[in-house]
C-alpha cells in the first residue's frame, strides 16, 4: 500500500489549496484517512480525518470552518480543501491511513501511532 500526497505550494494569506492523497495498491472500502501537519520545530498534529464506516469527519479546532475533507472512492483519493489560509498553516502536510478494525474515531484520530501507512508529505507555505 502506498499513499501519495500532492497539491502543496506557496499561497498568500487568505488563499486556497487542495491537497490530494491517492491510495495505491489498495481498494478503499473500510478505512480512515487523516491529514497531519508538521511545522519546523513542532510536533506532528492532526488536521482532519474521514472515516468510511459511518462517513464521520473530524477537524482540529484551528482549521474548523476553513478546511474540508472529502473522498472519492472511485479514484481511491481523499482531498483536503484548505480555504482562508493563514501563515500559521505553513507546514509539511502528510496523509495517513488506518485500515485496522476498529478504525480511529472521535477520541483517537489524532494519535499518529494508530495509522498503518503514511504518505511522503507535501509542503504548504502561506505568506503574509
Amino acid at each position: 500500500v502506498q499513499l501519495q500526497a500532492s497539491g502543496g505550494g506557496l499561497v498568500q494569506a487568505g488563499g486556497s489549496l487542495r491537497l490530494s492523497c491517492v491510495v495505491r495498491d489498495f481498494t478503499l472500502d473500510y478505512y480512515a484517512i487523516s491529514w497531519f501537519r508538521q511545522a519546523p520545530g513542532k510536533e506532528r498534529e492532526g488536521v482532519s480525518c474521514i472515516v468510511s464506516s459511518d462517513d464521520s469527519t473530524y477537524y482540529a479546532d484551528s482549521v474548523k470552518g476553513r478546511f474540508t475533507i472529502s473522498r472519492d472512492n472511485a479514484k481511491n483519493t481523499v482531498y483536503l480543501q484548505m480555504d482562508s489560509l493563514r501563515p500559521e498553516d505553513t507546514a509539511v502536510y502528510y496523509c495517513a491511513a488506518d485500515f485496522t478494525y476498529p478504525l480511529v474515531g472521535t477520541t483517537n484520530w489524532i494519535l499518529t501511532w494508530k495509522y498503518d501507512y503514511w504518505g511522503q508529505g507535501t509542503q504548504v507555505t502561506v505568506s503574509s
Side-chain angles (χ1 to χ4, degrees):
V1 179
Q2 296 182 23
L3 276 64
Q4 184 173 356
S6 64
L10 173 63
V11 64
Q12 289 188 331
S16 298
L17 286 173
R18 188 176 79 158
L19 305 184
S20 299
C21 178
V22 178
V23 181
R24 303 192 186 281
D25 301 324
F26 189 87
T27 300
L28 289 182
D29 47 13
Y30 183 78
Y31 63 89
I33 291 185
S34 292
W35 288 95
F36 288 78
R37 67 186 181 187
Q38 188 165 19
K42 294 188 176 182
E43 292 187 356
R44 193 168 295 190
E45 63 173 356
V47 176
S48 184
C49 175
I50 187 164
V51 182
S52 67
S53 56
D54 58 3
D55 274 338
S56 294
T57 57
Y58 307 105
Y59 297 92
D61 288 344
S62 59
V63 306
K64 280 181 182 176
R66 301 188 298 122
F67 291 10
T68 304
I69 194 168
S70 63
R71 59 178 176 166
D72 186 337
N73 285 350
K75 295 182 178 181
N76 264 24
T77 301
V78 170
Y79 303 98
L80 184 68
Q81 177 67 40
M82 305 187 297
D83 299 318
S84 302
L85 283 162
R86 304 167 180 169
E88 54 264 39
D89 294 318
T90 295
V92 177
Y93 284 69
Y94 301 88
C95 58
D98 172 25
F99 300 128
T100 304
Y101 178 88
L103 298 174
V104 294
T106 306
T107 59
N108 62 4
W109 70 272
I110 60 171
L111 300 178
T112 57
W113 59 267
K114 294 288 288 184
Y115 293 85
D116 305 306
Y117 298 94
W118 289 81
Q120 84 285 5
T122 184
Q123 176 71 48
V124 171
T125 303
V126 184
S127 63
S128 57

